[in-house]
Amino acid sequence: AETATMDPVEALTLDKVDSNDMRVLSLNVQRDALFDPERQPAFIRMLRAINPDIIGFQEIYNHTAEEAKAVVEQAIPSSDDVVWHAAKAGSELIVVSRYPVLASAPIPARPSSDPNAAHLLDTEAVLGKPLLFLNAHPPCCANNEPRQRDMDAMMAFVRDAKAGEGTI
């Protein structure tokens, strides 16, 4: 019998093209699963493989920003020139960043629901200016009107920030 042969597949890499590039990860951990001892090893493997500079976590309800930072630290330990920083805004959104968090603010839009969040990160050394990082967890499924209100509120927040009139 004849065996089919294929050309070798080129290996993919997740290396940055430029060392000054920033890698951002948005990760919904589904109801604090980042801290579940059975699921945490998979999250740690993912964090190591992606090696992000900024992580926006969603659905961390029952843990602090410091606890989330500790998991990231376990996956990607700090070095002499890179330390992790963290902040929580609202009841479930956490940013963990290689850049210091200068300010954080919730971005409310929906009545009786969790707000989205904004964090001002000190990226002066890399970008020459701070970075406004938005962490969003809009409603899913057929909730189009509340999702639109969330997006409108976030864009209003960005407009205010750019005009120097916002909370950040």
Side-chain angles (χ1 to χ4, degrees), residues 8-85:
V9 176
E10 185 178 331
L12 296 176
T13 178
L14 293 177
D15 294 339
K16 293 179 181 179
V17 175
D18 183 310
S19 63
N20 286 328
D21 289 346
M22 281 186 198
R23 181 163 291 152
V24 176
L25 172 65
S26 176
L27 185 58
N28 184 322
V29 299
Q30 292 187 322
R31 305 210 176 274
D32 292 281
L34 181 67
F35 305 94
D36 179 335
E38 291 182 15
R39 296 181 67 189
Q40 192 175 73
F43 283 111
I44 288 174
R45 283 192 308 275
M46 182 182 357
L47 290 168
R48 284 181 182 152
I50 297 170
N51 194 21
D53 299 301
I54 303 167
I55 308 162
F57 288 112
Q58 300 90 39
E59 291 197 26
I60 297 182
Y61 296 99
N62 299 313
H63 294 83
T64 67
E66 288 301 310
E67 290 171 311
K69 181 175 89 170
V71 174
V72 173
E73 183 73 39
Q74 183 181 350
I76 311 165
S78 292
S79 65
D80 289 339
D81 29 319
V82 178
V83 249
W84 291 104
H85 306 272

Side-chain angles (χ1 to χ4, degrees), residues 20 22 99 102 121-131:
N20 286 328
M22 281 186 198
Y99 309 99
L102 300 172
L121 306 179
D122 183 3
T123 55
E124 192 77 34
V126 179
L127 300 177
K129 57 186 169 189
L131 174 73

Side-chain angles (χ1 to χ4, degrees), residues 82-120:
V82 178
V83 249
W84 291 104
H85 306 272
K88 188 169 189 174
S91 66
E92 54 129 344
L93 301 175
I94 292 177
V95 64
V96 177
S97 167
R98 293 185 189 263
Y99 309 99
V101 181
L102 300 172
S104 297
I107 306 173
R110 304 174 256 154
S112 72
S113 186
D114 293 323
N116 292 299
H119 303 278
L120 189 64

